[in-house]
Amino acid sequence: NPISLSSSLNWQKITCGEYNTFVIGINGTLWGTGNNTYGALGINSTELYTTALIQIGTSTNWKQVSGSGYFTLATKTDNTLWGWGQNNSYQMGNATCCNDRLSPGQIGTATDWKLAVACTSTPVGLALKLDGTLWGWGGNGSGLIGESNVSSRSVPTLLSPDTDWETLAVGAAHALALKTDGTLWAWGVGYNGQTGDNLTPLYFRSSPRQIGTDTWSYIACGF
């Protein structure tokens, strides 16, 4: 049965990683609970987990957050990009490997990030900028950030020259995206048919492929 995580009435957004939960308050503060392996909660601690909501840093301008199994990405209302947690495959996007990050650290210096998402079980980060471009970084075991000869990308790298990407959703090792015209696109691992393109499931999709010709208003991914 549902139980209350907090008696406060000041929450505005909630999202789940694979093993943890993040909440953004109306005042822009960020909180987390659950698994903290590799610092995935960003609470500046090596404790493996917590069962109560703990504030993450002191900032009051968090915009959105996306948790994976062991690393987390987020953006602030000033459109900066942040990350914390496991960094064994350049997930932190700062050209360093492999020291984990226990608290939020800024990724680059750009101030035009719209949305960042962390794949559930693949060490890949994907993001959109305000100009509608698509970016990615981390390890490339699933084709999400390029062809098979690309082993990793150590910093956010432009993945598509298009400038009409609207929103993103990620699963374990596949991604969905909508463009501003409502068309649906997918790439990454398709071994369960999750890329929806009727191609052989064994193939990785190393770049976004349009799915059908319908237009869509919302996307979400399971594992």
Side-chain angles (χ1 to χ4, degrees):
N1 293 320
I3 61 171
S4 176
L5 286 178
S6 169
S7 60
S8 171
L9 301 178
N10 297 315
W11 305 110
Q12 62 166 321
K13 294 179 181 179
I14 187 167
T15 186
C16 296
E18 189 171 356
Y19 306 115
N20 45 36
T21 300
F22 297 95
V23 191
I24 298 177
I26 292 174
N27 61 0
T29 55
L30 177 62
W31 301 70
T33 185
N35 188 281
N36 188 46
T37 304
Y38 305 113
L41 281 181
I43 56 176
N44 199 31
S45 168
T46 57
E47 292 293 324
L48 293 181
Y49 68 91
T50 175
T51 59
L53 283 170
I54 297 179
Q55 186 172 353
I56 300 168
T58 59
S59 296
T60 57
N61 62 339
W62 294 103
K63 180 171 63 174
Q64 58 88 208
V65 60
S66 175
S68 73
Y70 300 117
F71 76 102
T72 306
L73 300 173
T75 57
K76 290 186 175 182
T77 56
D78 61 3
N79 300 318
T80 53
L81 176 63
W82 298 73
W84 57 93
Q86 190 176 33
N87 190 37
N88 63 334
S89 296
Y90 298 104
Q91 297 99 307
M92 293 300 97
N94 59 3
T96 65
C97 177
C98 296
N99 292 326
D100 303 328
R101 180 178 282 169
L102 300 182
S103 59
Q106 188 173 349
I107 299 174
T109 59
T111 58
D112 58 349
W113 295 103
K114 176 183 178 180
L115 168 71
V117 291
C119 288
T120 308
S121 64
T122 303
V124 172
L126 298 173
L128 298 180
K129 284 194 171 186
L130 295 173
D131 62 3
T133 52
L134 172 64
W135 299 70
W137 64 96
N140 192 37
S142 57
L144 280 168
I145 55 174
E147 299 289 346
S148 59
N149 62 339
V150 176
S151 61
S152 63
R153 298 190 187 276
S154 62
V155 296
T157 303
L158 184 66
L159 299 181
S160 168
D162 298 344
T163 58
D164 56 351
W165 297 104
E166 177 67 22
T167 192
L168 286 170
V170 292
H174 74 289
L176 301 179
L178 291 181
K179 286 193 171 185
T180 54
D181 62 1
T183 54
L184 173 64
W185 300 70
W187 69 106
V189 171
Y191 48 70
N192 285 309
Q194 63 267 55
T195 49
D197 52 17
N198 288 321
L199 293 182
T200 301
L202 296 178
Y203 293 153
F204 289 172
R205 283 75 168 157
S206 59
S207 61
R209 299 173 56 88
Q210 186 174 348
I211 309 304
T213 58
D214 293 332
T215 54
W216 304 86
S217 60
Y218 181 81
I219 50 175
C221 293
F223 184 75

